[in-house]
Amino acid sequence: MKVKMLQNIAGFALMLALMTSCGGDQNGSSGPLGGGSAAQKTYVAPGELDEFYAFLSGGFSGQVSVYGLPSGRLFKVIPVFSVDAEKAYGFNEETKPMLETSHGFLPWDDSHHPELSQTDGVPDGRWLFINGNNTPRIARIDLTTFETVEIIELPNSGGNHSSPFTTENTEYVVAGTRFGVPVPQQDMGIDEYAGKFKGALSYVKVADDGRMDIAFQILMPGFNYDLAHSGKGLSHGWTFFSSYNTEESNTLLEVEASKNDKDFIAAINWKVAEQYIADGNYEEMNSSYLRNFYDEETQMATSEKMEKVKVLKPEDCPGLVYFLPCPKSPHGVDVDPTGEYIVGNGKLSADLTVHSFTKMLAAIEQEDFVDEKYGIPVLNFDATLAGIVKSTGLGPLHTEFDDKGNAYTTFFITSEVIKWKVGTWEVLDRAPCYYSVGHLMVPGGDSRKPWGKYMLALNKITKDRYLPTGPEVNQSAQLFDISGDKMELILDFPTVGEPHYAQAIPAELIMENSKQFYKLEENHHPHAIKSEEDIKVVREGNVVRIYMTSIRSHFAPDNIEGIKVGDEVYFHVTNLEQDYDVPHGFAVMGARNSELLIMPGQTETLLWRPQYPGVIPFYCSDFCSALHQEMQGYIRVSAQNSNPELKWSVGTDE
Ligand code: K7E
Ligand code: CUA
């Protein structure tokens, strides 16, 4: 039995290898690109602007990258879950608290799914959410500043993968655990998994100002909750989570979790959940988690420790959860723009299973249940089935939609995107991807209003597509024009890290609100100073605070004396500029963190611990003017047991 299983694995692996290594001769210039017309479609002339902002997750880079479409130009990498020395994120005193967790300071995570906030089911350009997969967290990026302003931890979870998908009006972002874990965490046998481990689905409330808090968690059986999407239109009020490992195995999942012919899509009625909470029918669990918030007014992040979550148990909450059987370990679960169709992407099959929301409601009404799992009714598969897309592709992962009633599904194993008709389920077109496509993205393609002009395929493997760069070759994105009947490949560009999901939105919904600088008079940083007259150096014990300003092209003060070995020196640098695009940097020799990159009107703080007596230079690390190279200074360090006078200055008195 065991040997046979291993043979199966070997066979599957071989098939994968074959599928992902083919097509080496499909070269962009001579292959599917139609020559000049593709170039014209993606050419954004110098000085012209792109039509869409695209936000791609960085996967194991932990960040988000911002591209223009259709040009594929990289505009920015937004640090989220990983430290970033370029922007001092996680290095300066202001942002360090963003990466605090109940496990301590974590400089890294794995980010998979960017999700734009929505109003009436349409992306609105206010915020971008993204999940931290490894140590369960959700981040919120403010799209006026393109900075991470909030990170909330998710307790009782392990692997925050089905996250952070939004509801129609951003009432919630949801977060399902990928791994079943003991809840609460405890020392127990791994082989006690089945029946004892749990899978928490979190509903994170998003307030009008964007602030997040965990409204409640649903303590599900310990399946693996893979992806999610909320209902929209007629299915507003529901969320659908795909699952695998309903076998509840704790070992060799590639075999053990592929045994059941069908796993489940969990349909959660969150309006019912709200009612249970409002009626007080919940348990309060001691679960601590951190909520980190960057306050633009004080320009400081702070961490707040939360102690309790409200928990709902499905077995005690009739009407809260139903299981829709779905063949072959579904990965993505995607809801079409009308909200009627729920697409299960059964990754071990050739077919897509589409459920009907209307039929689901009828089946619930008629109690057309075939089984029950841990108190959760399992709906009759045939009763909810809307149709099957017979694709002849292999390994469907994710589906997005356009504004003409079409759907686009990625097939990892056969490395292609298949376009099909919603409602008739007929396959309309197929396009190869180079190679092994994971997610795909149509701007607004998981919302009620897709802007169905482009489709971006996000590929895992790019060997032979780009100049080789050693063993590691970057992942890639491939842009297709989907305005016609046939998908047309028009651009191929490398990405930062491994993009799993992406989102895009018309540029005009964001660019008009984009902040150009911080107003000095609104800077309420506790250590800000507003003019050079206020510069000072203050000692309290071995803590020395240097209140410094930067303006083209000098620091004030730029000569500092009276610092000793063993001091903790805080450089509080305020950039006095009030113009767009004039940041200053700050770097000091021997600093064990990074530079600072201070935006106009902003204050940032670098902690430095001098190690030996001497005269140490510091300088501006961002080329800011013709006299940038002159933007420098010295700090004198005396011996630990000396008693030097604290002095600071800029310029000479004469
Ligand atoms: Cu399919 Cu993490 Cu959304 Cu990657 S996941 S592909
Ligand atoms: Cu300031 Cu260079």
Side-chain angles (χ1 to χ4, degrees):
M1 180 65 181
K2 203 150 234 167
V3 173
K4 177 137 183 275
M5 282 172 188
L6 289 171
Q7 276 173 349
N8 284 345
I9 303 169
F12 190 66
L14 180 67
M15 181 167 65
L16 269 179
L18 288 173
M19 296 301 187
T20 55
S21 62
C22 65
D25 58 355
Q26 308 261 23
N27 227 307
S29 53
S30 59
L33 288 190
S37 87
Q40 263 172 17
K41 283 177 176 170
T42 61
Y43 183 65
V44 178
E48 301 284 305
L49 300 178
D50 276 282
E51 196 179 339
F52 290 94
Y53 282 97
F55 300 93
L56 278 59
S57 69
F60 45 71
S61 90
Q63 317 293 45
V64 167
S65 48
V66 187
Y67 288 86
L69 295 181
S71 74
R73 297 184 293 194
L74 173 65
F75 299 144
K76 186 168 194 169
V77 175
I78 306 173
V80 184
F81 293 113
S82 299
V83 295
D84 179 0
E86 181 192 328
K87 302 179 185 74
Y89 182 81
F91 288 107
N92 63 22
E93 297 307 298
E94 285 74 13
T95 56
K96 275 179 185 171
M98 294 302 287
L99 299 176
E100 287 293 341
T101 71
S102 57
H103 307 255
F105 179 85
L106 301 185
W108 174 85
D109 214 305
D110 179 20
S111 60
H112 284 217
H113 305 122
E115 176 87 345
L116 288 160
S117 55
Q118 297 185 359
T119 302
D120 294 329
V122 182
D124 56 25
R126 288 181 294 166
W127 309 302
L128 184 78
F129 301 91
I130 187 161
N131 63 325
N133 192 38
N134 181 52
T135 305
R137 285 175 282 176
I138 293 176
R140 179 170 58 91
I141 294 163
D142 181 334
L143 291 178
T144 65
T145 58
F146 284 64
E147 291 197 4
T148 305
V149 292
E150 192 170 13
I151 294 183
I152 189 169
E153 232 187 325
L154 302 157
N156 303 325
S157 304
N160 174 39
H161 196 257
S162 38
S163 169
F165 298 96
T166 184
T167 55
E168 198 167 272
N169 290 298
T170 322
E171 294 94 341
Y172 299 97
V173 287
V174 303
T177 190
R178 170 176 167 197
F179 305 111
V181 288
V183 177
Q185 269 294 358
Q186 60 200 276
D187 178 11
M188 65 189 282
I190 299 170
D191 59 2
E192 293 176 66
Y193 185 122
K196 296 235 177 98
F197 285 28
K198 295 284 176 228
L201 308 181
S202 306
Y203 278 73
V204 175
K205 184 88 196 143
V206 181
D208 289 345
D209 61 359
R211 293 298 308 269
M212 299 186 285
D213 197 8
I214 299 173
F216 55 89
Q217 293 189 317
I218 302 172
L219 225 47
M220 299 281 286
F223 309 155
N224 293 36
Y225 297 91
D226 207 9
L227 280 141
H229 265 105
S230 285
K232 42 180 95 94
L234 71 158
S235 53
H236 179 58
W238 291 75
T239 313
F240 306 94
F241 287 87
S242 60
S243 73
Y244 63 103
N245 195 23
T246 52
E247 296 84 352
E248 295 182 80
S249 168
N250 55 287
T251 182
L252 201 62
L253 261 62
E254 67 174 326
V255 174
E256 298 295 328
S258 304
K259 283 181 170 168
N260 288 351
D261 186 50
K262 295 191 179 68
D263 294 282
F264 300 124
I265 291 171
I268 311 282
N269 188 335
W270 57 260
K271 298 260 183 185
V272 163
E274 285 179 334
Q275 198 55 52
Y276 280 114
I277 298 291
D279 295 345
N281 291 326
Y282 59 84
E283 277 178 36
E284 197 153 57
M285 243 182 92
N286 290 323
S287 312
S288 61
Y289 61 98
L290 258 52
R291 195 166 69 147
N292 309 324
F293 176 61
Y294 178 85
D295 184 343
E296 202 181 293
E297 242 184 73
T298 61
Q299 304 189 356
M300 291 284 289
T302 47
S303 290
E304 186 184 358
K305 190 170 182 201
M306 318 295 280
E307 303 283 1
K308 289 188 188 321
V309 284
K310 298 182 171 118
V311 170
L312 297 174
K313 297 188 169 157
E315 63 270 30
D316 304 333
C317 300
L320 176 63
V321 190
Y322 299 91
F323 282 140
L324 297 158
C326 192
K328 300 294 174 196
S329 304
H331 185 56
V333 55
D334 300 291
V335 181
D336 86 307
T338 68
E340 165 63 7
Y341 296 114
I342 303 138
V343 182
N345 303 259
K347 64 181 179 279
L348 301 179
S349 99
D351 302 334
L352 292 169
T353 306
V354 186
H355 296 276
S356 154
F357 178 74
T358 315
K359 285 184 166 185
M360 182 192 90
L361 286 189
I364 291 170
E365 182 72 26
Q366 288 151 25
E367 303 196 349
D368 192 355
F369 307 140
V370 293
D371 198 359
E372 193 192 273
K373 290 274 186 226
Y374 300 103
I376 300 169
V378 179
L379 291 159
N380 176 0
F381 176 73
D382 296 315
T384 64
L385 187 69
I388 291 175
V389 182
K390 297 262 174 211
S391 72
T392 72
L394 208 53
L397 291 184
H398 298 284
T399 299
E400 293 260 291
F401 303 88
D402 69 12
D403 49 350
K404 302 177 203 77
N406 303 308
Y408 302 79
T409 301
T410 55
F411 287 76
F412 178 79
I413 299 173
T414 44
S415 189
E416 60 185 333
V417 173
I418 291 182
K419 174 181 177 182
W420 50 276
K421 192 93 211 151
V422 177
T424 70
W425 324 122
E426 85 196 277
V427 170
L428 302 173
D429 190 23
R430 55 204 311 152
C433 296
Y434 309 105
Y435 309 95
S436 304
V437 60
H439 273 274
L440 79 173
M441 180 274 289
V442 173
D446 70 339
S447 76
R448 286 183 75 175
K449 189 187 144 198
W451 292 276
K453 186 169 178 185
Y454 300 112
M455 179 268 289
L456 195 67
L458 302 159
N459 305 309
K460 307 297 184 192
I461 295 172
T462 51
K463 58 185 174 187
D464 80 22
R465 296 295 293 177
Y466 302 127
L467 292 176
T469 50
E472 164 68 341
V473 192
N474 226 341
Q475 282 75 19
S476 85
Q478 289 187 303
L479 186 70
F480 290 81
D481 177 347
I482 57 167
S483 56
D485 288 342
K486 297 284 174 196
M487 296 176 273
E488 186 194 352
L489 177 61
I490 55 174
L491 189 69
D492 186 327
F493 60 93
T495 60
V496 178
E498 178 183 349
H500 287 261
Y501 193 34
Q503 294 265 278
I505 185 168
E508 68 263 19
L509 292 181
I510 289 187
M511 56 186 288
E512 280 150 23
N513 302 322
S514 193
K515 205 177 196 81
Q516 300 195 328
F517 59 86
Y518 296 89
K519 286 190 185 141
L520 211 47
E521 70 260 27
E522 290 171 10
N523 176 344
H524 297 293
H525 188 293
H527 301 293
I529 51 173
K530 306 294 176 72
S531 96
E532 285 190 17
E533 325 231 293
D534 301 328
I535 61 172
K536 60 185 172 184
V537 180
V538 179
R539 173 184 287 284
E540 274 173 50
N542 72 331
V543 173
V544 178
R545 296 187 183 277
I546 300 171
Y547 293 81
M548 187 182 265
T549 62
S550 64
I551 195 158
R552 282 163 288 182
S553 297
H554 64 274
F555 294 104
D558 64 359
N559 280 214
I560 301 151
E561 298 192 11
I563 308 301
K564 297 190 290 181
V565 173
D567 282 346
E568 273 186 16
V569 180
Y570 291 91
F571 292 94
H572 299 294
V573 187
T574 301
N575 180 350
L576 297 178
E577 308 278 357
Q578 290 288 270
D579 281 325
Y580 189 25
D581 204 14
V582 196
H584 290 288
F586 179 81
V588 59
M589 189 166 81
R592 293 182 180 180
N593 28 36
S594 73
E595 60 153 6
L596 299 176
L597 187 65
I598 313 148
M599 296 305 124
Q602 207 176 25
T603 304
E604 286 193 25
T605 304
L606 190 82
L607 170 59
W608 178 64
R609 292 187 170 92
Q611 304 293 312
Y612 53 86
V615 178
I616 308 295
F618 56 82
Y619 71 102
C620 171
S621 48
D622 182 320
F623 207 108
C624 50
S625 75
L627 294 171
H628 153 79
Q629 205 68 351
E630 282 72 12
M631 196 163 174
Q632 62 184 57
Y634 288 105
I635 183 162
R636 176 179 172 183
V637 181
S638 303
Q640 188 148 26
N641 51 10
S642 63
N643 193 17
E645 186 195 346
L646 212 50
K647 288 198 289 192
W648 61 91
S649 63
V650 58
T652 48
D653 281 342
E654 303 85 85

